[in-house]
Amino acid sequence: MDMRPIVDHWKKSRFLPPDLKEQLEAYRPDELLDAFYKDIEFGTAGMRGIMGPGPNRINIFTIKKATIGFGLYLLGVDESAREHGVVIAHDNRRHAREFNDLIAATLSQMGFKVYIFEDLRPTPELSFAVREKGAAGGIVITASHNPKQYNGYKVYDETGCQLTPNRIAPLVETIASLPDSLEVEIPAWATPGEIVTLGNELDFRYLYNVKGVALYPDLPKRGFKVVYSPEHGTGSFLGVRLLRECGYELYPVVSQCVPDPDFSQTKSPNPELDEAYEEAIKLAKTIQAQLVLVTDPDADRVGVAYRDEKGNYVRLTGNQSGALLIDYLLRERNRLGRLADNGVVYDTIVTSPLGAKVAEYHGCRVESFLTGFKFIGDRIHFYEKTGGPHFEFGYEESYGCLIAPFSRDKDGFQAILMYAEMALFYHLQGYHLGQRLHILHKRHGFYVDRQVSKDFQGPTGAEKIATMLARLRKTPFAQIGDFKVATFEDYLTSIRKSERQQTSIALPSSDVVKFILTDGSSIAVRPSGTEPKCKLYFSAVASSSNEADAKMNKLIEAFLTTYDL
């Protein structure tokens, strides 16, 4: 592909502001290639990428074009979309407020009523606001847990749920039909739409609903110390306020409570990584806190670490914290007479089986979806309309969960409140979270889960990922070291195969494969929907913790060796 005409078009554009022009001139050859070889795409969680000039970057031009496309899409879905309006929120990322105001101005010119916040707000509150205002849709500017050079653009439907593939497809078609992002013009409406700033009243209503998820709000909290870090993001105000108003002895990581696009006081804003916990655990050791909580910048994911009997701080994986919360919620709701007879728990195809076993133990059915919380939010809405099973809990292994569906996305504020309550509940009984997790493992099996990522940068990256997935599909029942494959699931063709039978998978098509081994362990492989990498999810189960750890190491080595990865 000859990109020189596109690059020249950008360099010569009269619309290109000086800062982007300077960046463009300073691009290295590899950066230039990556920024111009394609248009930025919508993935698992919307449009996400590195900020800078070029059609494959997040900038004022790609944001504006996406917004025009979203506005036209909404008008195609709802004739009254202009009157219903669109809610916009943003986190602490660079240019976030600039993008927020650009989106608001664009939609206003198109005749939409627009709701904005006076400052940064969390993703779950955006979802809540769409529902509260009866809006036609929502937009949040965030790159979630990605590094500081990233930003992103998530879009929501009228239920407060991120758009599912059947809705993303016509949106993508609409955007693709528009002129080049440098030249596209806003289809102005005769009367600009009103831009309304949402005040603290919406924060109050949102937190009121969050507080309502508590099962035992009056548990004695004296002496139970909680350390919390918002990682420079949107939890800096509402997260601290929530835990304090609920009576917890809270110790915020003050240096990380200042909104900062450079994340200057944390090594990573990603709760999946150890580096995100360093300052919080340092503070926890100083004050001997029982619990550490960390939210990512847009506050939809929560990481948890607990203090064990030796005074060490142990970080839980998203699979472990999710399983613990399922056990606590379902058991205590049942004790209080608040567990539905037809309860359902939602997880994903790459989530550990442990949580599903816990849910089934408590009498709840389990449904699994493709990665992306939009599928869980969409199913909640579907069952509300059709009278299906009652939602009890939904979660992903990547540290996101939802407890009550007044939001329709992962909700980090519901999560921090309930992790704190759960840890306090067990603390008052003389347990820490690790001891409770051991009880679950003794009952359901010792599960160890690990993720391995393979990076594939640049225009050849997608080709390399496709080649890798094709190779996995070619020999689905290959012996993987000492492990034998019992079932192979191909989510692209929606086929589940064993050596004796073949059945269909009732989920949308997706480029994912999964190997389920004869001993109950599994391996799933999927391209990331937000980064140029492929993710490998390993799950090993055994009768003891040491045995499961040893099996995990053998499983990873055997798989990478078998498929030369």
Side-chain angles (χ1 to χ4, degrees):
M1 174 186 176
D2 185 4
M3 297 182 303
R4 285 174 297 182
I6 306 173
V7 174
D8 288 342
H9 178 53
W10 276 71
K11 286 184 175 181
K12 295 175 182 177
S13 174
R14 69 185 191 278
F15 302 117
L16 197 66
D19 61 325
L20 290 182
K21 197 175 197 63
E22 185 178 340
Q23 276 186 269
L24 181 53
E25 295 293 347
Y27 270 157
R28 301 187 310 267
D30 61 316
E31 292 175 322
L32 193 68
L33 181 64
D34 191 58
F36 281 89
Y37 82 96
K38 67 172 183 177
D39 288 342
I40 195 165
E41 299 171 348
F42 276 82
T44 305
M47 191 172 73
R48 192 180 302 176
I50 296 171
M51 288 177 280
N56 191 34
R57 290 288 185 263
I58 295 289
N59 52 61
I60 56 174
F61 303 105
T62 53
I63 290 286
K64 178 181 173 183
K65 182 175 178 178
T67 301
I68 293 170
F70 186 52
L72 294 173
Y73 161 79
L74 289 177
L75 291 171
V77 173
D78 177 7
E79 293 180 354
S80 302
R82 288 188 174 93
E83 292 75 37
H84 292 152
V86 177
V87 187
I88 309 167
H90 68 87
D91 68 7
N92 59 301
R93 297 278 169 174
R94 265 194 196 287
H95 304 296
R97 190 67 195 188
E98 176 187 359
F99 294 155
N100 180 97
D101 294 346
L102 171 63
I103 294 165
T106 300
L107 289 172
S108 174
Q109 279 187 249
M110 295 177 70
F112 285 88
K113 186 174 186 178
V114 180
Y115 299 95
I116 62 172
F117 292 92
E118 59 191 354
D119 204 343
L120 69 170
R121 287 296 187 276
T123 289
E125 187 176 7
L126 179 279
S127 174
F128 173 78
V130 170
R131 297 173 59 78
E132 279 286 292
K133 292 298 179 182
I139 300 168
V140 61
I141 300 298
T142 178
S144 188
H145 58 289
N146 286 76
K148 64 183 181 181
Q149 63 268 32
Y150 281 79
N151 213 327
Y153 183 98
K154 294 181 182 179
V155 288
Y156 291 76
D157 66 17
E158 74 282 0
T159 73
C161 178
Q162 285 190 56
L163 264 61
T164 50
N166 63 314
R167 290 191 161 195
I168 282 286
L171 170 60
V172 169
E173 289 177 8
T174 300
I175 294 172
S177 71
L178 296 173
D180 170 78
S181 58
L182 288 175
E183 307 292 340
V184 64
E185 295 183 359
I186 300 170
W189 191 244
T191 307
E194 180 186 10
I195 299 178
V196 179
T197 299
L198 298 170
N200 294 335
E201 174 61 23
L202 194 100
D203 297 334
F204 174 82
R205 293 204 300 274
Y206 170 63
L207 289 182
Y208 175 83
N209 278 271
V210 172
K211 292 172 186 176
V213 306
L215 298 179
Y216 301 113
D218 297 325
L219 287 175
K221 301 174 179 67
R222 185 176 178 82
F224 181 79
K225 300 176 182 178
V226 179
V227 168
Y228 169 61
S229 170
E231 296 290 343
H232 292 298
T234 57
S236 57
F237 171 58
L238 290 186
V240 172
R241 174 180 165 184
L242 170 67
L243 292 172
R244 281 187 171 152
E245 288 184 358
C246 289
Y248 285 93
E249 195 171 328
L250 181 67
Y251 296 81
V253 182
V254 175
S255 64
Q256 297 174 346
C257 286
V258 179
D260 180 0
D262 292 327
F263 303 103
S264 57
Q265 299 301 313
T266 183
K267 291 182 180 178
S268 172
N270 184 357
E272 296 177 88
L273 303 178
D274 289 332
E275 304 93 272
Y277 299 77
E278 286 188 7
E279 291 302 313
I281 288 177
K282 188 185 299 183
L283 174 59
K285 287 179 177 178
T286 301
I287 64 170
Q288 296 293 287
Q290 284 78 22
L291 186 68
V292 172
L293 299 169
V294 172
T295 51
D296 67 345
D298 67 324
D300 64 350
R301 302 174 188 232
V302 178
V304 182
Y306 65 90
R307 183 172 181 265
D308 69 11
E309 64 275 11
K310 297 179 181 178
N312 298 317
Y313 288 88
V314 182
R315 185 167 70 82
L316 294 170
T317 68
N319 283 312
Q320 291 169 334
S321 58
L324 281 165
L325 203 48
I326 291 170
D327 179 60
Y328 176 71
L329 287 169
L330 300 187
R331 185 187 64 250
E332 296 307 314
R333 282 175 180 166
N334 186 54
R335 183 175 296 171
L336 294 168
R338 292 163 56 180
L339 183 65
D341 293 334
N342 63 338
V344 63
V345 169
Y346 300 126
D347 65 10
T348 76
I349 60 172
V350 298
T351 306
S352 170
L354 177 60
K357 288 184 175 294
V358 171
E360 289 163 353
Y361 175 83
H362 288 291
C364 280
R365 63 183 284 186
V366 178
E367 292 187 29
S368 298
F369 300 94
L370 299 174
T371 303
F373 215 85
K374 55 183 173 282
F375 296 110
I376 292 175
D378 185 62
R379 184 52 62 98
I380 294 171
H381 180 64
F382 174 76
Y383 280 147
E384 281 183 348
K385 289 192 305 181
T386 60
H390 176 77
F391 172 78
E392 295 289 349
F393 186 73
Y395 78 121
E396 296 180 312
E397 50 74 39
S398 54
Y399 292 80
C401 70
L402 181 65
I403 297 159
F406 55 83
S407 295
R408 293 296 163 89
D409 206 342
K410 304 181 291 287
D411 193 327
F413 293 106
Q414 293 186 41
I416 61 173
L417 179 61
M418 290 312 298
Y419 284 133
E421 179 183 300
M422 175 176 68
L424 172 61
F425 181 89
Y426 293 132
H427 171 74
L428 294 172
Q429 296 180 0
Y431 293 99
H432 58 65
L433 293 179
Q435 291 165 328
R436 187 64 205 178
L437 182 62
H438 184 76
I439 291 171
L440 296 185
H441 279 148
K442 289 283 287 184
R443 181 188 296 155
H444 303 292
F446 285 80
Y447 284 87
V448 175
D449 301 276
R450 201 171 300 166
Q451 185 188 125
V452 175
S453 292
K454 295 287 182 179
D455 291 331
F456 297 92
Q457 300 287 340
T460 61
E463 183 180 338
K464 290 177 181 177
I465 291 174
T467 300
M468 182 178 73
L469 268 296
R471 189 164 73 249
L472 297 178
R473 290 184 171 97
K474 187 175 182 181
T475 54
F477 292 100
Q479 186 76 18
I480 302 173
D482 296 334
F483 303 95
K484 182 175 175 56
V485 178
T487 305
F488 177 74
E489 297 176 341
D490 184 352
Y491 291 85
L492 190 62
T493 60
S494 300
I495 295 296
R496 179 181 291 109
K497 300 177 183 177
S498 68
E499 292 184 329
R500 295 186 178 181
Q501 65 176 348
Q502 178 173 304
T503 57
S504 60
I505 299 171
L507 291 174
S509 177
S510 183
D511 193 12
V512 183
V513 297
K514 187 172 184 179
F515 302 82
I516 301 171
L517 310 180
T518 54
D519 68 347
S521 301
S522 64
I523 306 156
V525 183
R526 61 173 282 268
S528 170
T530 57
E531 299 170 272
K533 62 177 59 176
C534 200
K535 295 184 177 183
L536 285 63
Y537 302 83
F538 294 89
S539 180
V541 60
S543 56
S544 72
S545 178
N546 289 339
E547 185 184 346
D549 285 334
K551 181 182 285 188
M552 173 59 74
N553 293 333
K554 287 179 63 178
L555 181 59
I556 293 174
E557 181 182 3
F559 187 77
L560 297 181
T561 300
T562 300
Y563 288 100
D564 191 28
L565 299 176

